[in-house]
mmCIF file of all heavy atoms in Angstrom:
data_model
loop_
_atom_site.group_PDB
_atom_site.id
_atom_site.type_symbol
_atom_site.label_atom_id
_atom_site.label_comp_id
_atom_site.label_asym_id
_atom_site.label_seq_id
_atom_site.Cartn_x
_atom_site.Cartn_y
_atom_site.Cartn_z
ATOM 1 N N ARG Q 30 0.857 18.932 32.976
ATOM 2 C CA ARG Q 30 1.933 18.813 32.090
ATOM 3 C C ARG Q 30 2.588 20.375 31.830
ATOM 4 O O ARG Q 30 3.657 20.528 31.682
ATOM 5 C CB ARG Q 30 1.750 18.110 30.851
ATOM 6 C CG ARG Q 30 2.899 17.926 30.107
ATOM 7 C CD ARG Q 30 2.768 16.942 28.785
ATOM 8 N NE ARG Q 30 2.403 15.674 29.230
ATOM 9 C CZ ARG Q 30 1.581 14.898 28.777
ATOM 10 N NH1 ARG Q 30 0.856 15.334 27.680
ATOM 11 N NH2 ARG Q 30 1.419 13.638 29.127
ATOM 12 N N GLY Q 39 12.513 26.329 33.728
ATOM 13 C CA GLY Q 39 13.231 26.898 34.735
ATOM 14 C C GLY Q 39 14.484 26.162 35.076
ATOM 15 O O GLY Q 39 15.477 26.765 35.382
ATOM 16 N N ALA Q 42 16.921 26.739 32.366
ATOM 17 C CA ALA Q 42 17.616 28.124 32.672
ATOM 18 C C ALA Q 42 18.611 28.036 33.711
ATOM 19 O O ALA Q 42 19.518 28.751 33.803
ATOM 20 C CB ALA Q 42 16.446 29.116 32.997
ATOM 21 N N THR Q 72 15.923 2.527 23.219
ATOM 22 C CA THR Q 72 16.573 3.593 22.638
ATOM 23 C C THR Q 72 15.847 4.000 21.339
ATOM 24 O O THR Q 72 15.286 3.144 20.712
ATOM 25 C CB THR Q 72 18.051 3.245 22.216
ATOM 26 O OG1 THR Q 72 17.981 2.015 21.363
ATOM 27 C CG2 THR Q 72 18.883 3.039 23.424
ATOM 28 N N ARG Q 80 10.440 4.411 29.960
ATOM 29 C CA ARG Q 80 8.884 4.501 29.953
ATOM 30 C C ARG Q 80 8.183 3.393 30.592
ATOM 31 O O ARG Q 80 8.718 2.342 30.784
ATOM 32 C CB ARG Q 80 8.516 4.691 28.501
ATOM 33 C CG ARG Q 80 8.555 3.475 27.683
ATOM 34 C CD ARG Q 80 8.269 3.800 26.218
ATOM 35 N NE ARG Q 80 8.302 2.681 25.402
ATOM 36 C CZ ARG Q 80 7.439 1.787 25.282
ATOM 37 N NH1 ARG Q 80 6.255 1.904 25.938
ATOM 38 N NH2 ARG Q 80 7.568 0.771 24.451
ATOM 39 N N THR Q 138 4.299 7.958 29.869
ATOM 40 C CA THR Q 138 5.383 8.853 30.489
ATOM 41 C C THR Q 138 6.705 8.433 29.954
ATOM 42 O O THR Q 138 7.104 7.126 30.038
ATOM 43 C CB THR Q 138 5.415 8.721 32.003
ATOM 44 O OG1 THR Q 138 4.151 9.365 32.388
ATOM 45 C CG2 THR Q 138 6.483 9.550 32.469
ATOM 46 N N THR Q 169 28.353 19.130 33.007
ATOM 47 C CA THR Q 169 27.259 18.167 32.841
ATOM 48 C C THR Q 169 26.957 17.347 34.104
ATOM 49 O O THR Q 169 28.034 16.919 34.725
ATOM 50 C CB THR Q 169 27.513 17.154 31.643
ATOM 51 O OG1 THR Q 169 27.739 17.902 30.337
ATOM 52 C CG2 THR Q 169 26.292 16.297 31.400
ATOM 53 N N ALA Q 182 9.477 4.857 39.441
ATOM 54 C CA ALA Q 182 10.744 5.121 38.802
ATOM 55 C C ALA Q 182 11.322 6.432 39.418
ATOM 56 O O ALA Q 182 10.644 7.310 39.771
ATOM 57 C CB ALA Q 182 10.551 5.251 37.374
ATOM 58 N N LEU Q 184 14.711 9.195 39.472
ATOM 59 C CA LEU Q 184 15.820 9.873 38.665
ATOM 60 C C LEU Q 184 16.467 10.854 39.643
ATOM 61 O O LEU Q 184 15.732 11.682 40.232
ATOM 62 C CB LEU Q 184 15.198 10.483 37.369
ATOM 63 C CG LEU Q 184 16.200 11.627 36.834
ATOM 64 C CD1 LEU Q 184 17.328 10.973 36.223
ATOM 65 C CD2 LEU Q 184 15.276 12.353 35.655
ATOM 66 N N GLU Q 199 20.404 5.406 47.336
ATOM 67 C CA GLU Q 199 20.039 4.393 48.258
ATOM 68 C C GLU Q 199 19.368 4.920 49.567
ATOM 69 O O GLU Q 199 18.794 4.138 50.302
ATOM 70 C CB GLU Q 199 21.327 3.558 48.574
ATOM 71 C CG GLU Q 199 21.784 2.691 47.435
ATOM 72 C CD GLU Q 199 22.731 1.604 47.787
ATOM 73 O OE1 GLU Q 199 23.548 1.830 48.684
ATOM 74 O OE2 GLU Q 199 22.646 0.613 47.172
ATOM 75 N N ASN Q 203 10.401 6.348 51.768
ATOM 76 C CA ASN Q 203 9.069 6.901 51.824
ATOM 77 C C ASN Q 203 8.971 7.845 53.027
ATOM 78 O O ASN Q 203 8.938 7.375 54.213
ATOM 79 C CB ASN Q 203 8.089 5.721 51.963
ATOM 80 C CG ASN Q 203 6.641 6.201 51.858
ATOM 81 O OD1 ASN Q 203 6.396 7.374 52.085
ATOM 82 N ND2 ASN Q 203 5.753 5.269 51.480
ATOM 83 N N PRO Q 210 4.935 7.254 61.829
ATOM 84 C CA PRO Q 210 5.426 6.060 62.324
ATOM 85 C C PRO Q 210 4.536 4.895 62.473
ATOM 86 O O PRO Q 210 3.363 5.163 62.817
ATOM 87 C CB PRO Q 210 6.113 6.268 63.557
ATOM 88 C CG PRO Q 210 5.867 7.700 63.831
ATOM 89 C CD PRO Q 210 5.157 8.222 62.782
ATOM 90 N N ALA Q 264 18.561 -2.439 90.311
ATOM 91 C CA ALA Q 264 18.399 -3.003 91.726
ATOM 92 C C ALA Q 264 17.432 -4.083 91.680
ATOM 93 O O ALA Q 264 16.380 -4.022 91.012
ATOM 94 C CB ALA Q 264 18.012 -1.969 92.631
ATOM 95 N N SER Q 269 20.724 -9.949 81.644
ATOM 96 C CA SER Q 269 21.313 -10.958 80.660
ATOM 97 C C SER Q 269 20.981 -10.473 79.272
ATOM 98 O O SER Q 269 20.171 -9.532 79.123
ATOM 99 C CB SER Q 269 20.653 -12.275 80.969
ATOM 100 O OG SER Q 269 19.170 -12.267 80.866
ATOM 101 N N ALA Q 289 9.400 -5.135 88.814
ATOM 102 C CA ALA Q 289 8.985 -5.734 87.544
ATOM 103 C C ALA Q 289 10.204 -6.130 86.610
ATOM 104 O O ALA Q 289 11.273 -5.531 86.804
ATOM 105 C CB ALA Q 289 8.204 -4.616 86.639
ATOM 106 N N ALA Q 307 6.979 -5.845 83.192
ATOM 107 C CA ALA Q 307 5.841 -6.475 83.726
ATOM 108 C C ALA Q 307 6.130 -7.317 84.970
ATOM 109 O O ALA Q 307 7.286 -7.833 85.017
ATOM 110 C CB ALA Q 307 5.093 -7.259 82.771
ATOM 111 N N ALA Q 317 5.651 -12.242 75.395
ATOM 112 C CA ALA Q 317 4.889 -10.967 75.113
ATOM 113 C C ALA Q 317 5.763 -10.084 74.238
ATOM 114 O O ALA Q 317 5.371 -9.502 73.215
ATOM 115 C CB ALA Q 317 4.611 -10.179 76.402
#
Side-chain angles (χ1 to χ4, degrees):
Chain Q
R30 184 175 291 141
T72 55
R80 70 185 176 86
T138 296
T169 304
L184 162 66
E199 292 197 322
N203 185 341
S269 58

